[in-house]
Amino acid sequence: GEEVAQTPKHLVRGEGQKAKLYCAPIKGHSYVFWYQQVLKNEFKFLISFQNENVFDETGMPKERFSAKCLPNSPCSLEIQATKLEDSAVYFCASYGTSGSTDTQYFGPGTRLTVL
Amino acid sequence: QKEVEQNSGPLSVPEGAIASLNCTYSDRGSQSFFWYRQYSGKSPELIMSIYSNGDKEDGRFTAQLNKASQYVSLLIRDSQPSDSATYLCAVKTGADGLTFGKGTHLIIQP
């Protein structure tokens, strides 16, 4: 598709429950990024993929967060045993390597609320 | 630790005037610089990208980059009420994810 798609739009979980978010990058884009936005404006980079390979995971809280990008499937971000502080909007972004631009295009986000 | 600093504002500008948004960054190896606009409850939308020193103009928007001073700015000419939003400065080093500033909240007063 021509836009980054993210599902679900909203997700509510009780503390300790699992949350799974999905992202379909723009068709032809080989790089996928996950970001967490808390408190309205604070963006935090979590992880990036080049195709199905993890490219950079320096931002991931590894003990509870995991992510995958498998061929022919949406990418996913999973949070085991959610905590209150995981409440945020999670954005996925993608870009391709054709042309000279490395502009990341953002999806609409998934708002996770942990109660 | 890569850091991107922006004045959080709010920055209030009369309609028709020039809005000037500023950003500094800490990583001298940064190669790509972006300005995104984010309306409340929406995703970031690219306004401008800039890669080399100097000015880059696109319509009412001009991005300025000074790598020696580690400084990026965005000028919005003939400001419109629809320009009211949070403007995010983002910086990228190599294939790393973007490092964002906290954003400047811009208000255009009719």
Side-chain angles (χ1 to χ4, degrees):
Chain A
E2 292 299 315
E3 293 181 338
V4 177
Q6 288 188 249
T7 56
K9 210 169 180 178
H10 301 280
L11 192 57
V12 179
R13 288 289 179 266
E15 206 173 2
Q17 291 185 317
K18 185 171 75 175
K20 196 164 185 178
L21 293 61
Y22 297 92
C23 166
I26 291 172
K27 193 176 177 183
H29 282 191
S30 53
Y31 286 90
V32 171
F33 299 79
W34 284 98
Y35 296 89
Q36 178 194 57
Q37 187 179 30
V38 298
L39 298 173
K40 271 197 158 178
N41 291 333
E42 295 226 24
F43 269 88
K44 180 187 173 189
F45 165 71
L46 295 176
I47 190 169
S48 62
F49 288 83
Q50 182 181 13
N51 297 310
E52 62 266 27
N53 303 308
V54 174
F55 197 79
D56 181 354
E57 56 182 347
T58 51
M60 282 286 269
K62 289 181 191 168
E63 61 278 5
R64 294 183 301 108
F65 284 60
S66 63
K68 290 179 190 175
C69 276
L70 299 175
N72 303 313
S73 297
C75 296
S76 63
L77 176 69
E78 190 167 341
I79 310 172
Q80 302 284 344
T82 52
K83 296 184 177 181
L84 295 175
E85 63 258 31
D86 298 332
S87 293
V89 180
Y90 290 82
F91 287 103
C92 174
S94 72
Y95 82 84
T97 52
S98 61
S100 59
T101 179
D102 58 353
T103 298
Q104 293 182 25
Y105 295 92
F106 282 78
T110 293
R111 179 175 296 279
L112 172 65
T113 303
V114 181
L115 303 174
Chain B
Q1 179 87 9
K2 300 170 193 172
E3 291 182 350
V4 176
E5 299 286 342
Q6 291 181 258
N7 188 325
S8 62
L11 174 65
S12 190
V13 172
E15 185 175 356
I18 295 175
S20 178
L21 304 161
N22 304 312
C23 169
T24 58
Y25 59 95
S26 63
D27 185 356
R28 282 199 172 273
S30 299
Q31 299 166 354
S32 308
F33 307 87
F34 305 89
W35 283 99
Y36 283 88
R37 177 176 64 198
Q38 188 177 29
Y39 294 113
S40 183
K42 300 293 184 183
S43 59
E45 172 194 6
L46 181 74
I47 298 295
M48 294 281 282
S49 59
I50 187 165
Y51 301 93
S52 53
N53 281 329
D55 294 2
K56 180 181 176 183
E57 188 173 319
D58 184 1
R60 296 187 295 113
F61 300 95
T62 299
Q64 299 172 317
L65 174 62
N66 184 326
K67 288 186 179 180
S69 302
Q70 295 175 243
Y71 175 87
V72 195
S73 67
L74 180 71
L75 299 177
I76 307 174
R77 287 180 299 282
D78 187 23
S79 297
Q80 304 296 310
S82 58
D83 294 328
S84 298
T86 296
Y87 288 80
L88 298 160
C89 175
V91 171
K92 186 162 169 284
T93 304
D96 294 356
L98 295 172
T99 301
F100 282 88
K102 292 184 181 179
T104 298
H105 183 43
L106 176 66
I107 299 170
I108 305 300
Q109 295 176 320

